[in-house]
Amino acid sequence: MRRPVVDVNGLQYSYPDGTQALRGVNFHLEAGEAVALLGANGSGKTTFALHINGLLRGRGSVSVCGMEVEPRSLALVRRKVGMVFQDADSQLFMPSVLEDVTFGLLNQGLSSEDACERARVALRQTGMAGAETRAPHHLSAGEKRRVALAGILALDPEILVLDEPTTYLDPPGQRALADLLRALPQAKILITHDVPFAHATCSRAVFFHDGAVVAEGPVEAVAARFGWGLAAR
Amino acid sequence: MHIPDGFLSTPVWAALDALALPATGLAARAAQRGFDESKAPLLGVMGAFIFAAQMINFPVGMGTSGHLVGGALLACTLGPAPASVVMTAIVAIQAFVFQDGGVLALGPNVLNMAIAGVLAGYLPYHLWGGGRFRRAAIFAGGVLSVISSAVLALAELLLSGVRMPRPVLGVSLTLFAVSALLEGAITVAVIAALERIQPGFVRQPARAPSMLLGGLGLCAVMLAAGGLVFASTAPDGIEQLAMRAGIAKPLAAYGNGAGIAGVGLVFVLLLAGGRMARRRSA
Amino acid sequence: MIHRRAAGAKLAVAAVFLVTVATAHRHLLALSAGWLVVLVSGVLVAKLPVGGIVSRTAAVLPFSALFALFSWMEGFPQTALGLMVKSYLSALVVLLLVATTPLPELVRTLESARAPQFLLMVVQFLYRYIFVVVEEAVNMRTAAAMRGGLRFQAAAGALATLFARSYSRAEHIHRAMIARGFQGHFRSMATGTLAAGDVIFAFTAGALPLLVRTLGEVLL
């Protein structure tokens, strides 16, 4: 039996002020699979995702590619998991596009030349070739998102986690992103409010409510069950 | 006040540039706490915050308004060494990107605003911030940070031979005093608002022997600089008296002597402080 | 053409220019004319708008004019002249430098000159986020203006909110950094090699202000 690339069992997490954010979440992701995390604001989707690469640590077990996520394995886990955050401005923190995309590669020990080469490939993949010398604050919201994704793709992770990737994207931008994601071989976790986008990119959805998973299944079915589907309007 | 290039005499800007180098190095090392650079983004973003803070006007009546300078606020929330580093970055960006303040004059401007101004903004809070007079301490910090950097700038200009008629000096000092009071008031108000949002932002004043050293150094320098500035505002009587007593150009002599002695003292204290800091982190 | 020269060469030339101007005391009017010609030629060669550059530099003049007035009133016209021309020319040198050199490159040059890496990284992050945070502040101010403007206490609240948001943003940045393997030190992509063209530029451009000064002192 194939081991899931992400395997979470009984995950619980409370914020420093005591409020419980996750109440025993179970979650499994197979290689190459794309899963959408749906749920209301504050239901725990992002909090859950931050456990996958060890940015948060709760009680219960989280393992990535067979490795338990703990302090000793963090460096390796973070090579396997590529996370694109909701706020692209806080993710593109270097002075130029090229420097930002090569950031992770240089941290992994690649030489300047190799890092630049891989960065250029990733930028081409996300449609931002030629933007290498541009300053992030001159980019549009959609361009920032694409550069942030390039910075992650350049690291060749096995799992992609994207938090609200369609925010600030116009419909053509959303379509382009959906096409790109469908073409990528990595396993994907998409946190999103955009049900049509989730339907276009993911085979399965998981519905969060109040820190727990309350439903799982095909995207449209899960969405319809909670009044999130298109038919509900 | 940012001093442009062309105002300070060569001995003054050269000596202060030389002094600023170890001072900023010390502050950078202290702010890093163990040579990890992960605090750099925080300090950078807070520097951006200070720039942005200039956009928010505080009305003071009669159609005038002022804005936050920020040295004391940063010192009470981030700590004095990180605050110094932030203010240094700000002064540098202002000089290069906005031509606000000279490049050769970076040493004096950094010493005035990022080192002395921040230290003066922090010391009252360090001494009395934990007790009943907390708000007064914060207010005093805001006032002293503006006053000290202003007096130092004026002293440097006078030392360089830039003429300032007595009434002009008097008016400038008054204006600086007003903006210092405003800074104190704004700092108190912002810190109060910050504590309502999240108490953890404003740090508790901590024990630090290097603070004593820094405080002494600052007092010595301020005495020298203040002496120079206030002597320049003194009536003609003193000059005439001294001249009759046979001392030629007494004002200049007093100014140069005190100024140079003060600078020398600070240099020695900085070196000593640097050696102490290195021994503790070794 | 100047844009493509190495930042280090341009910084060196700027330093020479600034010191040459700062240390001059005689024949200031004539020397300034010569220096102005050199600098304006630089602006033209760099294909920058002369009018824009010259007027932006003039921002320093009101301040220097005030002090120049005092010096002149007290009987020191040479000092007055010095204040005005030196502050103006120095500002022009710096503006020409930053108009032809992106700040990140300047920072990288200072890094190879062994300036404290930590301070340089702070400068870099500051520059990266200055527009972002300023825009937030302007939005806050506009939103408040729609509702009658900010009184003293409200302005303090706005600043506190801006502070908290900036702090929070810094935490997100840090999170994004460690998610991409940051170990505590920034790796630089600095190449730092000076081409022959840069060296030639540094020597010829650097010689110009000195030439003006020596000619002035010799001929006048």
Side-chain angles (χ1 to χ4, degrees):
Chain A
M1 193 183 80
R2 256 199 354 235
R3 253 188 318 191
V5 288
V6 176
D7 194 7
V8 178
N9 290 296
L11 182 62
Q12 297 183 2
Y13 179 76
S14 302
Y15 290 124
D17 69 1
T19 26
Q20 190 156 26
L22 298 174
R23 304 166 194 283
V25 173
N26 297 325
F27 178 85
H28 315 281
L29 183 70
E30 303 287 333
E33 198 191 2
V35 175
L37 299 189
L38 304 174
N41 292 330
S43 55
K45 312 187 297 287
T46 303
T47 310
F48 165 73
L50 292 174
H51 283 82
I52 299 177
N53 65 354
L55 287 171
L56 291 178
R57 285 208 74 205
R59 289 195 310 279
S61 96
V62 179
S63 73
V64 169
C65 297
M67 290 183 288
E68 189 71 27
V69 176
E70 52 187 7
R72 276 176 312 159
S73 62
L74 282 179
L76 280 170
V77 165
R78 287 170 184 162
R79 285 187 183 221
K80 302 276 186 192
V81 179
M83 192 171 288
V84 179
F85 298 91
Q86 198 169 358
D87 180 14
D89 250 322
S90 300
Q91 185 151 19
L92 290 190
F93 45 76
M94 297 300 279
S96 73
V97 164
L98 186 62
E99 279 177 276
D100 199 273
V101 178
T102 53
F103 178 78
L105 295 165
L106 291 172
N107 284 337
Q108 283 183 1
L110 266 74
S111 68
S112 277
E113 296 83 44
D114 292 336
C116 287
E117 192 41 54
R118 295 253 296 255
R120 295 211 172 89
V121 170
L123 285 168
R124 232 174 297 146
Q125 216 177 353
T126 52
M128 291 300 294
E132 283 85 0
T133 51
R134 289 176 65 190
H137 60 261
H138 289 149
L139 300 173
S140 71
E143 290 175 323
K144 281 183 199 163
R145 215 160 261 290
R146 285 193 275 161
V147 173
L149 184 57
I152 299 299
L153 289 178
L155 298 170
D156 202 20
E158 284 186 41
I159 302 151
L160 285 175
V161 180
L162 292 98
D163 196 348
E164 303 290 354
T166 54
T167 324
Y168 301 124
L169 285 185
D170 53 20
Q174 290 175 14
R175 265 196 300 276
L177 183 61
D179 292 339
L180 175 60
L181 289 177
R182 270 198 303 266
L184 291 171
Q186 287 93 345
K188 301 170 209 83
I189 297 175
L190 258 69
I191 304 172
T192 184
H193 287 152
D194 191 335
V195 174
F197 183 79
H199 179 68
T201 48
C202 302
S203 54
R204 179 162 66 100
V206 157
F207 202 94
F208 274 76
H209 176 70
D210 204 18
V213 172
V214 296
E216 206 176 317
V219 175
E220 282 234 320
V222 169
R225 202 172 128 187
F226 294 93
W228 279 41
L230 292 165
R233 274 176 237 154
Chain B
M1 177 164 76
H2 298 72
I3 303 175
D5 275 331
F7 274 62
L8 298 174
S9 65
T10 306
V12 173
W13 63 255
L16 292 177
D17 278 348
L19 190 57
L21 288 173
T24 47
L26 244 184
R29 264 200 299 273
Q32 262 181 276
R33 298 177 214 269
F35 310 101
D36 184 299
E37 293 173 337
S38 17
K39 280 224 167 312
L42 174 65
L43 300 192
V45 173
M46 297 320 290
F49 159 77
I50 293 288
F51 267 100
Q54 293 173 0
M55 304 283 126
I56 304 287
N57 287 320
F58 284 77
V60 265
M62 295 178 294
T64 48
S65 60
H67 63 76
L68 178 79
V69 172
L73 177 66
L74 287 180
C76 295
T77 50
L78 301 176
S84 270
V85 173
V86 176
M87 294 303 284
T88 305
I90 288 176
V91 171
I93 293 241
Q94 284 172 324
F96 280 101
V97 178
F98 300 104
Q99 294 90 51
D100 187 8
V103 165
L104 293 179
L106 266 178
N109 283 325
V110 163
L111 285 172
N112 297 348
M113 294 184 278
I115 306 283
V118 166
L119 201 53
Y122 184 67
L123 279 169
Y125 184 73
H126 179 73
L127 294 169
W128 302 298
R132 280 181 306 140
F133 299 107
R134 190 153 189 271
R135 291 188 61 160
I138 296 172
F139 181 81
V143 171
L144 288 176
S145 72
V146 170
I147 286 275
S148 57
S149 45
V151 167
L152 283 172
L154 286 174
E156 285 151 14
L157 289 172
L158 288 168
L159 213 58
S160 299
V162 174
R163 321 299 307 182
M164 272 188 273
R166 268 182 297 280
V168 169
L169 254 186
V171 168
S172 332
L173 284 170
T174 316
L175 288 174
F176 282 129
V178 169
S179 81
L181 290 170
L182 184 58
E183 177 75 4
I186 297 177
T187 309
V188 168
V190 175
I191 289 192
L194 264 179
E195 288 180 321
R196 281 197 293 274
I197 298 179
Q198 194 173 314
F201 273 137
V202 190
R203 64 205 316 265
Q204 284 305 109
R207 297 265 130 252
S210 48
M211 271 294 118
L212 188 63
L213 215 57
L216 283 174
L218 185 64
C219 288
V221 173
M222 290 318 300
L223 279 172
L228 175 60
V229 173
F230 286 104
S232 304
T233 59
D236 276 315
I238 293 183
E239 267 185 331
Q240 301 228 6
L241 203 69
M243 281 228 227
R244 255 186 252 137
I247 311 169
K249 293 218 203 115
L251 194 62
Y254 171 74
N256 280 323
I260 291 172
V263 168
L265 184 59
V266 173
F267 200 75
V268 169
L269 286 170
L270 276 174
L271 284 176
R275 239 171 250 131
M276 262 184 68
R278 238 169 287 147
R279 239 182 282 135
R280 280 173 69 217
S281 62
Chain C
M1 194 260 275
I2 301 185
H3 292 268
R4 274 182 282 136
R5 292 283 139 244
K10 285 181 275 187
L11 193 57
V13 171
V16 168
F17 220 123
L18 287 173
V19 174
T20 311
V21 170
T23 50
H25 295 292
R26 299 173 307 159
H27 316 297
L28 282 175
L29 208 51
L31 290 180
S32 306
W35 283 323
L36 192 62
V37 166
V38 172
L39 286 170
V40 171
S41 320
V43 173
L44 290 168
V45 168
K47 300 213 181 74
L48 294 165
V50 178
I53 298 270
V54 163
S55 54
R56 185 165 150 175
T57 330
V60 77
L61 284 177
F63 188 82
S64 351
L66 195 61
F67 283 91
L69 185 66
F70 301 143
S71 294
W72 185 66
M73 274 171 17
E74 302 228 330
F76 294 88
Q78 276 298 92
T79 315
L81 183 66
L83 287 177
M84 302 235 17
V85 297
K86 287 187 187 185
S87 59
Y88 183 80
L89 289 170
S90 303
L92 190 51
V93 170
V94 175
L95 184 52
L96 189 50
L97 172 67
V98 293
T100 54
T101 319
L103 193 80
E105 262 186 57
L106 214 48
V107 167
R108 238 173 284 150
T109 305
L110 291 170
E111 193 187 337
S112 20
R114 314 267 298 290
Q117 165 97 337
F118 186 65
L119 178 62
L120 292 176
M121 290 315 298
V122 173
V123 169
Q124 208 156 274
F125 278 102
L126 204 173
Y127 188 66
R128 163 66 183 96
Y129 286 102
I130 193 173
F131 308 97
V132 177
V133 187
V134 165
E135 199 184 320
E136 273 183 37
V138 169
N139 287 344
M140 278 178 141
R141 192 176 62 180
T142 316
M146 298 292 114
R147 293 197 285 161
L150 287 171
R151 296 297 160 83
F152 199 96
Q153 280 301 116
L159 272 191
T161 308
L162 199 62
F163 185 104
R165 292 237 290 252
S166 303
Y167 210 94
S168 179
R169 175 183 293 284
E171 286 181 340
H172 289 162
I173 295 167
H174 186 246
R175 197 193 268 177
M177 279 166 43
I178 55 177
R180 286 200 276 163
F182 182 68
Q183 309 270 336
H185 296 282
F186 290 91
R187 307 279 153 92
S188 89
M189 288 199 312
T191 39
T193 45
L194 279 175
D198 297 325
V199 177
I200 296 173
F201 169 77
F203 276 98
T204 41
L208 287 172
L210 293 165
L211 203 65
V212 169
R213 177 141 167 205
T214 357
L215 276 178
E217 311 234 315
V218 160
L219 296 173
L220 297 169

